[in-house]
Amino acid sequence: MLLSVLLLLVVVSGAQTAYYGIVYTYSAGDIQQDALPTLNSFKLSFSSCEELDSWFCEGNCSALDLYVIDERRGEWCQKEYIVNIPDTILTILDAAADYLLLSANWTENRNGIVSLATAPLIDLRNRSDINKPNSSPQTTILPLLRVPSNCQRNINLLVSDPDGDTIRCRYAASPECETCTPPSVLSVSPSCTLSFSPTNSSDEGPYAVQLVIEDFPRQTITLTNSSGSQEVKTSSDVISKIP
């Protein structure tokens, strides 16, 4: 059974906005009677703080906080929205999906990425190994990174998992992206290293990088929903994924 746990929409100004990226993460607390406290974080980056016009949230968003994490005026701005949902009803334990809807245009880039699309996956069923629901991998965003075109460069992404799961990174694929053309000058490893290979001057310019981070249990576990139905997950099965 798939339920829309949280529906959010970002509206940004102008037709030619300079969107740099998003990271969505979630963490779940312990089940308390008929409620499950969850904390949702949305880190967004644009060319300036003025690009983000308005934010709409459908659901219990009474505890929504905004933080301007960092800004280099005229180049980029990163904001974080924290949505604390203290009384999520236990029926969401039947869910294995989250719908995150945004409207933005990527900054001009060489690999033809225009519109933003995301398809995060959450799973809030109770895990047999930790006796609580899963929390997603945790990471931050790289809003803008410059590298010399003639120098090999490896960028180790900062990722962790609160449940001790195995984390793997990959490029996004449909429907996780509107246009899914990976940068020709970059490669990403499952261990979450982004590698740039030296290239010639004709390949210089900005590239949009669309990554997905997934967590896998280190051992076989059982996920149980609110009605008692169970599903087995092995170390080869994804529990959640975030953009």
Side-chain angles (χ1 to χ4, degrees):
M1 180 179 180
L2 299 181
L3 298 178
S4 178
V5 179
L6 189 64
L7 176 62
L8 296 128
L9 172 66
V10 171
V11 178
V12 293
S13 61
Q16 299 298 322
T17 56
Y19 162 79
Y20 287 159
I22 183 175
V23 169
Y24 163 66
T25 60
Y26 74 90
S27 58
D30 295 322
I31 298 174
Q32 301 172 4
Q33 297 180 352
D34 61 346
L36 173 65
T38 58
L39 186 68
N40 298 266
S41 167
F42 299 83
K43 299 183 181 75
L44 297 129
S45 183
F46 295 90
S47 60
S48 71
C49 288
E50 287 71 31
E51 295 287 354
L52 186 56
D53 270 355
S54 54
W55 174 276
F56 302 96
C57 178
E58 180 179 297
N60 182 355
C61 301
S62 57
L64 188 151
D65 299 309
L66 166 65
Y67 304 92
V68 177
I69 299 178
D70 209 348
E71 179 181 10
R72 178 170 291 182
R73 192 163 298 278
E75 289 195 30
W76 54 266
C77 170
Q78 182 175 334
K79 293 182 177 183
E80 181 176 18
Y81 287 83
I82 302 295
V83 185
N84 182 19
I85 306 180
D87 57 352
T88 305
I89 303 303
L90 268 182
T91 52
I92 68 169
L93 292 180
D94 297 330
D98 188 35
Y99 300 95
L100 175 62
L101 305 177
L102 300 102
S103 173
N105 289 339
W106 278 90
T107 186
E108 185 178 353
N109 56 82
R110 295 289 304 273
N111 49 327
I113 310 300
V114 179
S115 299
L116 163 66
T118 59
L121 172 69
I122 74 171
D123 197 319
L124 294 175
R125 292 173 291 180
N126 201 51
R127 294 177 52 152
S128 60
D129 56 341
I130 59 176
N131 197 31
K132 61 181 291 188
N134 185 67
S135 295
S136 73
Q138 306 293 307
T139 188
T140 189
I141 198 170
L142 290 175
L144 185 63
L145 186 67
R146 292 187 176 93
V147 293
S149 63
N150 59 345
C151 296
Q152 173 74 31
R153 185 69 58 87
N154 292 324
I155 302 108
N156 296 317
L157 304 178
L158 300 177
V159 294
S160 63
D161 189 273
D163 305 318
D165 295 324
T166 299
I167 300 175
R168 296 175 192 162
C169 293
R170 59 174 174 81
Y171 280 126
S174 181
E176 301 160 340
C177 39
E178 187 74 25
T179 303
C180 301
T181 308
S184 59
V185 297
L186 293 171
S187 62
V188 62
S189 71
S191 60
C192 299
T193 296
L194 195 62
S195 298
F196 169 74
S197 299
T199 184
N200 55 49
S201 58
S202 63
D203 292 323
E204 291 177 353
Y207 291 85
V209 182
Q210 302 174 103
L211 298 176
V212 170
I213 303 175
E214 301 171 313
D215 58 348
F216 300 77
R218 294 186 180 274
Q219 61 187 20
T220 298
I221 64 173
T222 301
L223 301 178
T224 305
N225 68 14
S226 58
S227 64
S229 297
Q230 296 183 329
E231 180 183 359
V232 173
K233 293 275 188 178
T234 71
S235 58
S236 300
D237 295 322
V238 173
I239 305 177
S240 67
K241 63 181 181 180
I242 60 170

